[in-house]
Amino acid sequence: MEDTNHITEAEWQVMRAVWSTVPATSSAIIQDLAAGTGWEPTTVKTLLARLVKKGAVRFVSQGRTYLYFSVLSEEACIRREMRLFAGKIYGGAIHLASPHFDFKGTDDPAFMGLLAAALEAGLASVTADFQYKLTERLVVYVHPSRQRLQSALGVLDGPDWLRAGTIWGMIHLAPRDCFDVPPPDKAALHVLTQLLVGLVNPAVPYWLSQALAAWESQWLDQARVSRTIQARSAGFRLADMLEVGAVYRQFRDAGGYELAFTVAEFVVAEFGRDSLATLVRSPSDFSGVFGFSEAEFWTRWDAFLARRYA
């Protein structure tokens, strides 16, 4: 499909009519639009023909009837529009293009090369684990400062450790000299995994998205995870990780990254990497994914921690 900024406002009205009824006949689309626009049938047919040419709509013929289908879902088109809008805000030339990523922002060839290598390798691994095929290029924006990064993420008073994130379907990073732990390549992979989890299933809970991102990026060292696990004996609760939602500071303060990492570690160790794809798509169906209840899942996870981090 061509970039959606080539689709006019009139064509978007036709797209909305196509989404309303699947499949949609031309007569149904004409009737749907007639009341609100007053367009003649020939006008609607012309707009449909343009959308077919642009690759936004396809059709099949059944005798003398044409059935129209959208090539992309409404949600996917909205996501693409948001990225295009964000691209206009951030602007700038593409300083580096890898097979799946366009790098913009601060021109740092060595840094972008490091990120490209890590993201391309990580993309292959994560999409295999999630059984997902990326159908569009992703933008990686390197900001000139940590403050500019956090402004882009909508976190004006963010902590020093917030150096990467995703918004508008883009990966945002602070400049190279802002990173220590995690290093920038692993931070980028963490954010990429979060983005892909959201594409596979936007309803995945925050803690699980972070669990998968931490496990795929492998940025947490054994000692740090062990210290967090040991702290559980001093009043640490599983609920601290599960209940804070997407409040990222509370999640971090509760040891959420470390605990979440061990959940993904447990799933892979006990059920294999293939289970990740099922878990992402059905995160609340513990019985369907694992064959037992949620309560049993957490009991087994706790036993895994006792063995792994004793």
Side-chain angles (χ1 to χ4, degrees):
M1 178 179 174
E2 296 182 9
D3 286 345
T4 50
N5 60 346
H6 293 157
I7 295 178
T8 66
E9 177 57 35
E11 290 166 350
W12 278 118
Q13 293 191 60
V14 177
M15 290 295 296
R16 287 190 285 271
V18 173
W19 285 320
S20 297
T21 306
V22 180
T25 63
S26 58
S27 58
I29 296 170
I30 290 168
Q31 183 177 356
D32 190 352
L33 292 169
T37 66
W39 290 341
E40 296 293 330
T42 52
T43 301
V44 176
K45 290 180 179 179
T46 298
L47 293 170
L48 279 169
R50 290 177 182 172
L51 289 168
V52 170
K53 185 177 180 180
K54 292 179 178 182
V57 169
R58 64 181 179 87
F59 70 89
V60 295
S61 59
Q62 291 186 351
R64 300 181 64 181
T65 300
Y66 290 90
L67 301 177
Y68 290 88
F69 303 81
S70 172
V71 172
L72 293 178
S73 68
E74 185 171 2
E75 187 273 336
C77 282
I78 291 172
R79 191 172 64 245
R80 183 184 289 251
E81 279 287 281
M82 291 168 65
R83 279 202 309 276
L84 288 168
F85 178 71
K88 292 177 182 177
I89 293 175
Y90 299 116
I94 296 174
H95 298 302
L96 175 68
S98 66
H100 298 94
F101 300 91
D102 291 328
F103 292 82
K104 294 186 173 185
T106 302
D107 189 7
D108 185 340
F111 186 38
M112 290 181 171
L114 170 72
L115 295 172
L119 287 171
E120 289 292 349
L123 178 67
S125 176
V126 176
T127 52
D129 284 341
F130 296 168
Q131 298 174 20
Y132 176 78
K133 182 178 180 181
L134 186 67
T135 58
E136 50 203 286
R137 297 182 64 78
L138 297 177
V139 172
V140 181
Y141 199 94
V142 179
H143 292 269
S145 67
R146 181 177 57 81
Q147 290 75 20
R148 285 287 299 278
L149 160 78
Q150 294 187 0
S151 176
L153 296 176
V155 186
L156 297 180
D157 59 343
D160 290 346
W161 54 263
L162 182 59
R163 307 178 189 99
T166 178
I167 192 170
W168 310 120
M170 299 167 59
I171 296 171
H172 295 262
L173 295 163
R176 181 204 295 257
D177 59 8
C178 289
F179 286 90
D180 45 31
V181 178
D185 53 342
K186 292 186 179 295
L189 181 52
H190 183 105
V191 173
L192 170 64
T193 305
Q194 287 181 266
L195 194 159
L196 292 173
V197 167
L199 292 177
V200 175
N201 181 5
V204 167
Y206 182 78
W207 71 265
L208 180 55
S209 175
Q210 294 295 344
L212 296 168
W215 188 82
E216 292 284 356
S217 59
Q218 292 289 312
W219 65 269
L220 288 163
D221 63 72
Q222 182 82 14
R224 175 170 172 170
V225 177
S226 294
R227 286 194 300 270
T228 301
I229 300 306
Q230 298 306 318
R232 296 176 73 234
S233 61
F236 217 96
R237 302 181 308 131
L238 173 64
D240 292 332
M241 179 183 73
L242 300 181
E243 292 175 358
V244 296
V247 184
Y248 69 96
R249 292 197 214 201
Q250 293 180 22
F251 185 82
R252 182 179 188 270
D253 292 344
Y257 290 112
E258 294 83 1
L259 280 176
F261 168 81
T262 66
V263 176
E265 186 181 36
F266 162 64
V267 169
V268 173
E270 298 295 320
F271 307 99
R273 293 179 76 136
D274 289 346
S275 62
L276 295 177
T278 309
L279 180 60
V280 168
R281 289 168 175 80
S282 304
S284 300
D285 185 11
F286 287 81
S287 179
V289 176
F290 303 111
F292 44 76
S293 69
E294 180 178 359
E296 178 66 15
F297 175 87
W298 294 118
T299 297
R300 295 193 185 195
W301 168 72
D302 203 51
F304 170 81
L305 293 185
R307 297 192 305 271
R308 178 80 170 85
Y309 294 98

